Amino acid sequence: MPEPAPVPASEAAGSAAAEPVFAVRDLWKVFGPKAERIPGNKEFAELSIPELRERTGCTAAVRDVSFDVRKGEVFVVMGLSGSGKSTLVRTLTRLIEPTSGSIAIDGEDVLSMDKDRLRELRRHRAAMVFQHFGLLPHRTVLDNVAYGLEIQGMGKTERRAKALEVVAKVGLEGLEQRRPSQLSGGQQQRVGLARALAVDPEVLLFDEPFSALDPLIRRDMQEEVIRLHREEGRTMVFITHDLSEALKLGDRIMLMRDGGVVQLGTPEEIVANPADDYVRDFVRDVPREQVISVRRAMRPAVDGEAETGAAIGPDTLVADAIEAVARSGQHCRVVDDGRTIGVVDHARLLAVVAGLDSDTEGKAVAAV
């Protein structure tokens, strides 16, 4: 199994600046007989999943995983079927009990929580949105949304008022009295999302919630998540096997394979600097200009360039910068906080699109 990529210095600094919502360290989940013998055992560390199963009868669904989820971010866990991502998200609230390691939410040890504290975690602090909606068929939309509040003991008038507010927030106004069987798949998923939002959790945990939806409905639901995140700034952990969904939603992406972490970084870091051939194959067909910013394309300004050319921000995507350069017919200044920190031109931008670094830029220019 490939070694996980090192955590960037910027990420380490950010993590030190504020306590993470979730802090996961050295997490293992092993299924099988005497599972506790597997974590930390050097004899088994390098075995593949089939080899481990043959030797021990065990399957390591999550292998020595560590990460932080920062407050207010959309943290995406991505991987193919069998990579361990869904098992991982279920361990965060102990829907699946980890074999070893540590999990903390706001500094509180999740693994030491008793039944009452664990129930409070699941009902109030970290709400789950599943692929299969799990709606109560005999209840209306409004009553499905209010169900979590009912479990919490909230009075009928108050919980219905709260449910009405959340129903409107997810675009289901006018459908409050319908039953789930009268709704489309996308509408049912909105009910599931509203039910999770109604309890006002600190973290929303999404386990491949849109994978069963038609592409157009899926896109609408992705936009809904983006809108809600923009309006509320709520922390989200999102599980998906779809790279385009991960790139669209994630502030950071953790890519898993065979239970372990292959790479963790921003979408731009993963597309621009894949950790190994496995990640490189994943991102091979991604339009780089739609993900990478001009920070990676700019060069120092020379001969008065800092005073000429259109100004663009350092987070401007390469695709937008190409349009700006084409319109102006010259380089563009990259300006941060009123100061020119570099310039981009046609050649630098094309080199990024081609996947070439600054050392090979000259070859890219020659090719153009």
Side-chain angles (χ1 to χ4, degrees), residues 23 43 62 275 282 327:
E43 180 184 354
V62 177
F282 249 111
R327 282 196 305 270

Side-chain angles (χ1 to χ4, degrees), residues 130-151:
F130 295 98
Q131 175 183 341
H132 302 292
F133 320 124
L135 304 182
L136 301 171
H138 61 287
R139 289 191 173 218
T140 64
V141 166
L142 192 65
D143 288 338
N144 265 284
V145 173
Y147 182 68
L149 301 173
E150 181 181 345
I151 294 297

Side-chain angles (χ1 to χ4, degrees), residues 72-355:
E73 79 170 328
V74 180
F75 186 88
V76 174
V77 182
M78 184 199 148
L80 298 178
S81 178
S83 62
K85 58 190 185 301
S86 289
T87 300
L88 174 66
V89 76
R90 283 167 166 78
T91 64
L92 296 181
T93 57
R94 287 173 55 195
L95 291 173
I96 293 177
E97 289 286 352
T99 304
S100 70
S102 67
I103 303 169
I105 181 168
D106 296 326
E108 182 179 359
D109 183 3
V110 173
L111 302 188
S112 67
M113 289 181 176
D114 61 21
K115 289 182 179 179
D116 290 339
R117 194 66 180 149
L118 200 55
R119 189 179 301 115
E120 192 271 341
L121 168 66
R122 296 168 183 167
R123 288 181 178 178
H124 296 273
R125 300 170 71 182
M128 200 90 167
V129 182
F130 295 98
Q131 175 183 341
H132 302 292
F133 320 124
L135 304 182
L136 301 171
H138 61 287
R139 289 191 173 218
T140 64
V141 166
L142 192 65
D143 288 338
N144 265 284
V145 173
Y147 182 68
L149 301 173
E150 181 181 345
I151 294 297
Q152 290 181 1
M154 184 180 289
K156 183 175 181 179
T157 300
E158 187 180 357
R159 71 174 180 257
R160 285 178 69 85
K162 176 66 175 178
L164 280 169
E165 176 187 324
V166 179
V167 163
K169 185 178 291 186
V170 300
L172 290 174
E173 272 186 307
L175 303 178
E176 293 89 349
Q177 298 308 314
R178 293 194 183 181
R179 298 283 197 274
S181 61
Q182 297 172 300
L183 303 176
S184 69
Q187 289 169 336
Q188 290 182 40
Q189 189 57 280
R190 286 174 187 267
V191 177
L193 176 57
R195 183 176 54 192
L197 284 169
V199 298
D200 196 24
E202 181 180 0
V203 188
L204 279 171
L205 305 174
F206 294 88
D207 187 11
E208 299 206 62
F210 310 145
S211 59
L213 301 178
D214 293 337
L216 290 179
I217 298 174
R218 182 173 187 161
R219 186 177 64 190
D220 287 345
M221 288 304 301
Q222 291 167 354
E223 293 295 341
E224 189 69 18
V225 168
I226 291 170
R227 181 184 68 81
L228 287 170
H229 183 255
R230 184 171 60 243
E231 292 176 358
E232 299 190 345
R234 198 182 301 270
T235 307
M236 300 180 181
V237 178
F238 198 99
I239 307 300
T240 184
H241 64 269
D242 185 286
L243 177 61
S244 61
E245 186 167 73
L247 294 173
K248 184 175 185 178
L249 298 178
D251 294 312
R252 290 187 300 148
I253 299 169
M254 186 171 77
L255 203 154
M256 295 185 68
R257 180 186 186 189
D258 294 341
V261 178
V262 182
Q263 186 168 2
L264 195 168
T266 66
E268 180 174 354
E269 287 168 344
I270 287 174
V271 171
N273 296 311
D276 60 13
D277 289 341
Y278 180 74
V279 183
R280 197 168 291 110
D281 285 343
F282 249 111
V283 303
R284 180 176 51 199
D285 297 325
V286 173
R288 293 167 59 86
E289 68 275 13
Q290 300 290 344
V291 180
I292 297 176
S293 71
V294 295
R295 290 181 188 274
R296 294 178 183 272
M298 65 184 185
R299 58 172 173 78
V302 296
D303 300 331
E305 288 179 326
E307 286 75 46
T308 61
I312 57 176
D315 294 323
T316 302
L317 293 178
V318 166
D320 297 325
I322 288 173
E323 289 187 15
V325 168
R327 282 196 305 270
S328 68
Q330 58 177 329
H331 68 268
C332 286
R333 294 178 297 126
V334 181
V335 178
D336 188 23
D337 197 22
R339 181 174 62 90
T340 298
I341 59 174
V343 298
V344 289
D345 54 29
H346 187 65
R348 299 287 296 203
L349 294 170
L350 286 184
V352 169
V353 173

